Amino acid sequence: MRSKRWLLAALLLGSALGSVSGTAHAATTNPQGFISDLKSPVTSVANQYKLYPSVMMSQAALESAWGTSLLTTQANNYFGVKGSYKGQSVSMATTEYDANGQLYHTNANFRKYPNAKASMTDNATLLRGGTSYNPKIYSGTWRENAKTYVSAANALTGVYATAPTYGSTLISIIKTYKLDSLLDGSAPDVATPAPKPKPKVYSKAKYYGTSGNQTATLSKAYASVRLYNHVKDTRANITKTAWSKVKAAKGKKVYLDMRAVRTATKSGNKTTWYRIRFAKSKSSQRYWVYTSAIAFPKVTYTDGKATLKVITKAGGSTYNHVYNSPYLAEEQEPIKKLTAKAYTADSEAVKTQDGVKSTWYRIKVGKKKTWIAGTAAQLQYAQVFYTAASGKKTLSSKFNKYKVYNHVTTTHFNQQTLKWPKGSKKGTKVTVNLCGFKASNKSTWYRIRFSGSKTNYWVDARALS
């Protein structure tokens, strides 16, 4: 409901509406000019939505002080509607009632329309569509429900505005300027229900929680996007906040507590959003921003395989993602509970934040995978003793039974199996540049290089002669 909003607009914008007893229209100097100017858009819109044109005209006159309010002259806003219209709004001082019924002054954004008809249409859409909690709250104004304009006007009292004289004031305006005979005679047959406005379809978003105080900084492109109170286009009445009000700057630290992936309704494209605040306290004001506004620490991932032992005394927790990565991280379980003799890691992440590097490993715990900080992990690699080596060797007759690698097996996380160079065959000469003795199985390995190539290969000594 718009509790006393029409009266507040009059008080604020100096519109001289007079009293609320039914004489509000008397303050204008040219009501006939106002009626003449708005006759076309009012009758067109009111008839389209099966409303009384006389009631719409009287409302426009009352709410806008016969078109003299600043809100009407500057924004074509005839009904004092707050918010924005297709991204357009004007900021004006206004007067509101607090919870104790006391007046106070503040600033608010009001919708800015391109013309009077857009303002009439917006108001008609409200009367026909109602509110989210009651779509039929204004059904008393519909022509199929109201036998006369008097019934329609009175149906607004206590619903559209709480002033007890609201309906009688509208009726007084209609009678004084004979708006019923001037406008309502052109109304169409009301037997056919008015077209219902199509409900806006909003984008869907999937939200992901986070743990702790994860941080990032504003990117160099932060000013190209906006701050919102919700993920953009996911609900009605989403508001924007200017960066100037939060003292933003490139490189400014922000705290993140939620990530969202929004799926656009029409295109199906997915975009990532973050909820941020500018102070460590979790009670601080929070905003949603598009991902391009945020600069995260650099994280480099490497697939591999290693066995590690968890250092339970290290404390801390495991997470579903690397802490402070663009995915953000949510706590899984305390590290002290990881008491198995060994775990298998299949991915390594090196994060660089504020010039400091840290390593993380993804391990399998039961049926799920989780990330653990390298400070709590002791990798179990095979021990190899390296010695200098040089000279030439040749590929043996059984060389192709052995594989070549980038490292001696089970000695590095990112160990990779390579392919023998094209043309390799028995007797092919290679250069040896390092020798390794693997203690676990007492095997000897050589690092070799083929003629004309700079690539090093590790191979079991049995592949050479």
Side-chain angles (χ1 to χ4, degrees):
M1 302 204 319
R2 306 185 177 190
S3 176
K4 304 183 181 179
R5 179 188 50 68
W6 62 277
L7 176 57
L8 296 181
L11 293 172
L12 167 65
L13 302 177
S15 305
L17 287 182
S19 72
V20 297
S21 62
T23 61
H25 56 283
T28 184
T29 58
N30 187 18
Q32 295 298 345
F34 178 88
I35 295 169
S36 178
D37 289 342
L38 291 187
K39 180 178 180 181
S40 177
V42 165
T43 55
S44 173
V45 172
N47 288 340
Q48 177 186 356
Y49 286 85
K50 303 299 188 293
L51 302 169
Y52 281 94
S54 59
V55 176
M56 182 175 289
M57 181 71 80
S58 62
Q59 264 200 292
L62 180 60
E63 300 283 353
S64 71
W66 294 94
T68 63
S69 71
L70 289 176
L71 189 56
T72 302
T73 58
Q74 293 185 13
N76 285 313
N77 191 330
Y78 286 81
F79 299 93
V81 183
K82 290 182 179 180
S84 65
Y85 179 81
K86 295 184 178 180
Q88 299 298 309
S89 63
V90 293
S91 179
M92 288 190 177
T94 184
T95 305
E96 307 283 357
Y97 285 99
D98 61 20
N100 298 318
Q102 300 298 312
L103 287 172
Y104 69 95
H105 301 285
T106 186
N107 287 324
N109 287 332
F110 292 85
R111 297 185 183 184
K112 182 177 182 180
Y113 300 98
N115 49 52
K117 187 174 182 179
S119 180
M120 304 301 155
T121 302
D122 206 23
N123 189 59
T125 300
L126 170 68
L127 296 181
R128 269 290 168 180
T131 64
S132 60
Y133 61 86
N134 187 355
K136 294 185 178 181
I137 191 172
Y138 302 118
S139 61
T141 65
W142 303 351
R143 288 187 69 117
E144 62 265 33
N145 296 334
K147 298 293 185 180
T148 65
Y149 75 82
V150 173
S151 296
N154 284 328
L156 292 169
T157 303
V159 180
Y160 189 94
T162 58
T165 58
Y166 191 74
S168 61
T169 302
L170 297 178
I171 295 168
S172 175
I173 295 174
I174 294 171
K175 288 181 177 179
T176 299
Y177 297 100
K178 298 180 173 58
L179 298 180
D180 55 330
S181 59
L182 178 66
L183 305 174
D184 294 347
S186 60
D189 183 4
V190 298
T192 303
K196 293 183 178 181
K198 293 182 179 180
K200 181 176 175 59
V201 179
Y202 296 102
S203 299
K204 295 182 178 180
K206 187 173 182 179
Y207 298 88
Y208 300 89
T210 61
S211 301
N213 276 306
Q214 297 180 61
T215 63
T217 59
L218 293 182
S219 71
K220 62 180 180 182
Y222 80 91
S224 64
V225 298
R226 298 290 181 268
L227 290 165
Y228 298 91
N229 63 331
H230 295 288
V231 177
K232 184 182 178 183
D233 294 334
T234 57
R235 64 189 69 190
N237 303 319
I238 291 178
T239 59
K240 301 177 184 178
T241 298
W243 287 103
S244 58
K245 292 186 177 182
V246 296
K247 298 180 180 179
K250 174 188 173 183
K252 183 179 179 66
K253 179 186 285 188
V254 294
Y255 297 84
L256 308 99
D257 64 7
M258 191 172 289
R259 176 173 65 96
V261 177
R262 188 192 75 180
T263 303
T265 302
K266 292 183 178 179
S267 66
N269 294 334
K270 293 184 178 181
T271 53
T272 302
W273 294 72
Y274 294 98
R275 190 169 68 179
I276 66 172
R277 60 186 190 274
F278 294 90
K280 190 173 183 180
S281 172
K282 293 186 177 181
S283 63
S284 302
Q285 180 68 46
R286 297 178 294 187
Y287 307 90
W288 281 97
V289 292
Y290 180 57
T291 183
S292 62
I294 305 298
F296 283 95
K298 181 180 178 181
V299 182
T300 303
Y301 295 89
T302 302
D303 290 333
K305 185 176 181 181
T307 300
L308 61 80
K309 181 180 179 182
V310 174
I311 305 173
T312 55
K313 293 182 179 180
S317 301
T318 62
Y319 297 88
N320 61 338
H321 293 291
V322 175
Y323 198 84
N324 264 24
S325 71
Y327 294 104
L328 299 184
E330 190 168 15
E331 187 175 334
Q332 300 290 289
E333 61 183 315
I335 286 177
K336 64 182 180 181
K337 290 188 176 182
L338 305 184
T339 56
K341 291 183 178 180
Y343 294 90
T344 300
D346 65 357
S347 186
E348 178 186 69
V350 177
K351 181 180 69 177
T352 304
Q353 184 172 16
D354 300 327
V356 178
K357 288 187 176 182
S358 61
T359 305
W360 290 73
Y361 294 98
R362 187 174 66 183
I363 62 174
K364 190 173 183 180
V365 180
K367 294 184 178 181
K368 69 178 181 181
K369 293 183 178 180
T370 189
W371 286 89
I372 185 172
T375 53
Q378 186 176 48
L379 273 67
Q380 308 294 301
Y381 290 130
Q383 187 175 24
V384 178
F385 299 94
Y386 296 96
T387 58
S390 60
K392 299 286 187 179
K393 286 185 177 293
T394 59
L395 299 185
S396 69
S397 59
K398 298 181 180 180
F399 81 94
N400 54 6
K401 290 185 177 181
Y402 302 92
K403 295 179 180 180
V404 286
Y405 304 91
N406 61 333
H407 297 289
V408 176
T409 55
T410 65
T411 61
H412 286 75
F413 185 83
N414 63 335
Q415 179 184 308
Q416 299 173 13
T417 302
L418 307 178
K419 291 184 178 181
W420 286 101
K422 188 176 180 180
S424 298
K425 60 183 180 179
K426 174 186 175 182
T428 299
K429 291 185 177 181
V430 296
T431 301
V432 175
N433 55 35
L434 192 61
C435 178
F437 178 75
K438 188 174 177 182
S440 60
N441 61 0
K442 298 181 180 180
S443 60
T444 301
W445 292 70
Y446 286 105
R447 191 173 69 181
I448 62 175
R449 183 178 294 180
F450 288 81
S451 177
S453 173
K454 294 183 179 180
T455 303
N456 288 316
Y457 300 86
W458 279 96
V459 66
D460 191 298
R462 289 172 289 181
L464 304 176
S465 58

